[in-house]
Amino acid sequence: MRLVTFIANKKEYVGVVLAATGKGGMERIIDLNAAGRWMSKKDGKGNRLESVNDMIGLLESGRGGLAAAKRAIGAIGRELKATKVVPVGLRRIIFDYNRVRLSAPVPKPRKFICVGLNYRDHALEGGHEIPKVPTLFNKFATSVIGPADKIILPKVVKKPDYEGEFAFIIGKKGRNIPKSKALEHVAGYTIVNDVSARDFQKRTSQWMAGKAFDGFGVMGPELVTADEIKNPHNLSITTTVSGKVMQSSNTKQ
């Protein structure tokens, strides 16, 4: 599934993308909370989506919540297939993809953990030794902005930089997790622009000062659930600036 957080009518919603069907069809977004109420009324029984108000709530609802989201896609997809226009009862549930503003998929993550020098080719390109253990740093919830939001550079930053990153979203909680079971805790994947202030980053051995400014974690546009990506270790990743390719690599690096 393709999950999104979006803004419409000055309100933020959590939704799932309904793929376009047929020639000239358009992609739509289902408001999952409203879909839960609709399905509950239709089925005559409660639905997990009725209590889901944001992406973290959806992820914390576990497999049951994601399964309910899949059922919503199926049920609403069948309703739309039977008619050329959106039925009156669904008009407050379905939004046109190109008429909403996408926020970061997880607008306020509880943790935003980053790994430095995490691409082998990038490390070698910069003349850095491959780390024997991961170099970790963090951003904050205030660092997160949506894919179309402006990156506002602080006046003190003189050397801004970009880094296209493949990010994973932890869903299932856990501790002391063996490597063999690690991916069971991954709910899905998204894209992040790890914006950096190189002048601040290089002042000390701690990178956070140059990484955690407000707006320095551009996320999205979508969260793709883990079941959609069979091998996250073999995906192309490219960064463009003003149409020019600046980074081109693969997650196997």
Side-chain angles (χ1 to χ4, degrees):
M1 286 184 296
R2 296 159 55 193
L3 304 174
V4 293
T5 298
F6 66 100
I7 297 172
N9 305 319
K10 299 182 179 180
K11 183 180 176 182
E12 192 170 82
Y13 303 84
V14 59
V16 62
V17 178
L18 189 63
T21 57
K23 187 177 180 180
M26 66 174 68
E27 290 190 320
R28 294 185 169 102
I29 298 175
I30 298 170
D31 169 11
L32 286 175
N33 181 265
R37 297 194 302 271
W38 175 77
M39 292 179 71
S40 179
K41 186 177 180 180
K42 184 176 180 175
D43 299 338
K45 56 183 179 180
N47 186 288
R48 284 179 183 246
L49 299 178
E50 291 183 89
S51 59
V52 168
N53 296 306
D54 56 24
M55 188 65 75
I56 289 178
L58 177 62
L59 298 179
E60 286 191 336
S61 68
R63 292 181 180 177
L66 293 179
K70 282 188 177 182
R71 287 195 299 273
I73 292 176
I76 292 176
R78 288 190 293 273
E79 291 277 339
L80 292 177
K81 195 173 182 180
T83 177
K84 293 183 179 180
V85 296
V86 177
V88 174
L90 294 177
R91 288 180 185 173
R92 293 188 178 182
I93 299 175
I94 300 174
F95 297 81
D96 290 345
Y97 193 106
N98 59 3
R99 293 187 178 180
V100 303
R101 184 176 182 84
L102 294 178
S103 299
V106 188
K108 295 180 180 178
R110 291 173 181 158
K111 297 179 183 179
F112 195 147
I113 304 168
C114 309
V115 185
L117 298 176
N118 54 332
Y119 280 81
R120 179 176 293 272
D121 52 356
H122 176 58
L124 294 175
E125 179 185 45
H128 301 287
E129 184 179 342
I130 304 300
K132 292 182 173 63
V133 295
T135 300
L136 300 178
F137 61 94
N138 66 287
K139 294 179 184 282
F140 300 113
T142 53
S143 303
V144 178
I145 58 175
D149 293 338
K150 290 183 178 180
I151 302 168
I152 300 175
L153 296 176
K155 292 181 180 179
V156 293
V157 172
K158 306 304 179 185
K159 294 182 178 180
D161 206 355
Y162 50 82
E163 288 185 62
E165 299 284 358
F166 179 63
F168 62 90
I169 292 92
I170 297 172
K172 179 183 175 183
K173 294 180 180 179
R175 289 182 181 174
N176 303 317
I177 302 162
K179 183 178 179 179
S180 61
K181 294 185 179 296
L183 289 182
E184 293 178 12
H185 295 259
V186 175
Y189 306 95
T190 191
I191 293 296
V192 165
N193 181 0
D194 171 21
V195 184
S196 307
R198 299 299 187 196
D199 42 344
F200 279 79
Q201 179 185 344
K202 295 179 180 179
R203 287 183 179 182
T204 72
S205 60
Q206 301 294 323
W207 293 3
M208 190 188 73
K211 296 280 193 174
F213 282 104
D214 289 356
F216 272 30
V218 189
M219 185 191 297
E222 300 175 4
L223 187 169
V224 178
T225 52
D227 60 308
E228 297 278 2
I229 298 178
K230 292 182 179 180
N231 183 8
H233 304 294
N234 189 20
L235 298 171
S236 297
I237 182 165
T238 304
T239 304
T240 62
V241 177
S242 299
K244 183 179 179 181
V245 176
M246 306 300 288
Q247 293 176 304
S248 182
S249 187
N250 189 289
T251 56
K252 64 187 176 184
Q253 289 284 329

